[in-house]
Amino acid sequence: MSIHKEVKRVTTHVLQEMKLRGEKISMLTAYDYTMAKIVDHAGIDIILVGDSASNVMAGHETTLPITLDQMIYHASSVVRAIERSLIVVDLPFGSYQGNSKEALYSAIKIMKESGAHAVKLEGGREVKESIERILTAGIPVMGHLGLTPQSIYKFGTYNVRAKEEEEAKRLIDDAHILEESGCFALVLEKIPAKLAEQAAKELTIPIIGIGAGGGVDGQVLVFHDMVGLTHEFNPRFLRRYLNLYDDIKSAVGQYIIDVKSKDFPNANEQY
Ligand code: KIV
């Protein structure tokens, strides 16, 4: 029987066992109570309260504007909904890059005020000290390498990362550094599948991919993309399971018609 069905609560320890047993880890983003409840009841292993909330919830072009307090607002809504999943919260841009003390302060604030279980931050060797300091407070840390959207103005594009040998080697080195620093898992975003598979083979901690192929230990997608609420974003790695943009638009269209035609409410829909 899979651990997926056995466990009452997913912990970092459970994820480690899943990697050892070769059971793939499922992860999705969620940012609010109602959606988190559905995702948790469906049996997802990890819910990521991603800073992609900046894009899909707030309509910003990048993940940079979202604040620590806004992340805490989203995370605490998710925490109130879940019974089983492990909840990981992104440390937002500007809340950890200054120094390790600032990183620790931000991680503690998230944990204390939201009730989440772990934090995620972007970067390699440059955030090693911060990861180690956060861990001293007993807060589990997930790393994030490859396409790291908080650095979009450095990269210039959202194209696939680490296609060249030098960047690929640096990514593998960074992955080892993050594991040695104590990260319980890593997200690898939009890198060649072979490179991600190499990382998953070399590292003992779970590697969760997004646009990183099937050779890793688990997959993550942004919820709004996966259910088709966003319809303009069409990267090759995205599998849409629903087309909610079209479905909701046509439901709203029908509602407008019903209101204007006085079909709604009918005799049974009133007191
Ligand atoms: O913020 C987010 O949604 C993420 C995922 C893309 C991994 O970091």
Side-chain angles (χ1 to χ4, degrees):
M1 186 192 241
S2 73
I3 289 183
H4 175 90
K5 300 220 171 69
E6 276 171 32
V7 295
K8 288 209 171 70
R9 236 178 155 138
V10 180
T11 61
T12 57
H13 180 72
V14 167
L15 299 175
Q16 188 63 56
E17 282 178 41
M18 288 170 79
K19 170 151 183 155
L20 283 174
R21 287 165 60 137
E23 181 178 343
K24 299 279 185 186
I25 296 164
S26 61
M27 173 164 154
L28 272 177
T29 65
Y31 320 97
D32 69 278
Y33 175 84
T34 305
M35 296 304 157
K37 195 160 208 167
I38 299 171
V39 170
D40 182 65
H41 282 175
I44 206 82
D45 297 313
I46 309 175
I47 290 183
L48 172 67
V49 184
D51 58 0
S52 48
S54 179
N55 309 110
V56 297
M57 299 299 287
H60 293 296
E61 203 179 315
T62 72
T63 57
L64 276 62
I66 200 160
T67 66
L68 190 57
D69 284 335
Q70 286 166 342
M71 289 304 296
I72 290 168
Y73 167 78
H74 288 296
S76 50
S77 307
V78 168
V79 167
R80 283 192 285 275
I82 72 106
E83 288 168 7
R84 179 183 174 278
S85 325
L86 182 87
I87 306 175
V88 181
V89 183
D90 265 334
L91 283 175
F93 177 69
S95 72
Y96 64 96
Q97 289 93 343
N99 55 58
S100 63
K101 194 171 168 194
E102 181 185 56
L104 176 63
Y105 168 83
S106 301
I108 288 180
K109 191 169 158 70
I110 284 184
M111 300 295 281
K112 203 184 250 305
E113 295 182 22
S114 75
H117 309 134
V119 296
K120 174 165 85 57
L121 49 78
E122 297 182 5
R125 61 202 73 185
E126 66 279 8
V127 290
K128 177 182 187 307
E129 196 187 315
S130 295
I131 291 168
E132 286 168 350
R133 191 138 185 196
I134 294 170
L135 282 165
T136 62
I139 302 170
V141 181
M142 178 180 269
H144 185 156
L145 293 170
L147 178 65
T148 45
Q150 291 179 13
S151 304
I152 186 58
Y153 291 118
K154 185 177 84 179
F155 297 145
T157 73
Y158 286 99
N159 290 347
V160 179
R161 303 301 313 171
K163 278 163 83 176
E164 306 304 326
E165 204 181 318
E166 198 182 326
E167 195 183 336
K169 186 184 172 320
R170 189 178 167 90
L171 185 141
I172 293 289
D173 289 347
D174 276 342
H176 281 283
I177 290 169
L178 294 185
E179 172 165 86
E180 283 152 23
S181 305
C183 283
F184 73 88
L186 294 188
V187 165
L188 293 183
E189 180 164 354
K190 223 170 172 188
I191 63 167
K194 267 196 168 162
L195 185 66
E197 187 173 1
Q198 182 190 342
K201 282 197 175 125
E202 288 185 19
L203 269 65
T204 59
I205 56 172
I207 305 296
I208 316 287
I210 172 162
V216 289
D217 306 304
Q219 298 293 328
V220 56
L221 285 176
V222 169
F223 176 80
H224 288 56
D225 299 335
M226 178 267 197
V227 297
L229 276 167
T230 48
H231 70 303
E232 286 142 354
F233 181 62
N234 283 306
R236 193 206 298 193
F237 68 76
L238 175 62
R239 186 178 293 180
R240 284 196 203 290
Y241 289 81
L242 289 169
N243 269 308
L244 284 189
Y245 178 90
D246 290 335
D247 292 349
I248 293 174
K249 192 163 166 247
S250 80
V252 172
Q254 188 58 52
Y255 170 73
I256 294 167
I257 290 169
D258 291 352
V259 169
K260 301 231 177 245
S261 67
K262 301 179 192 159
D263 178 75
F264 176 79
N266 64 27
N268 296 324
E269 292 163 332
Q270 63 190 13
Y271 301 99

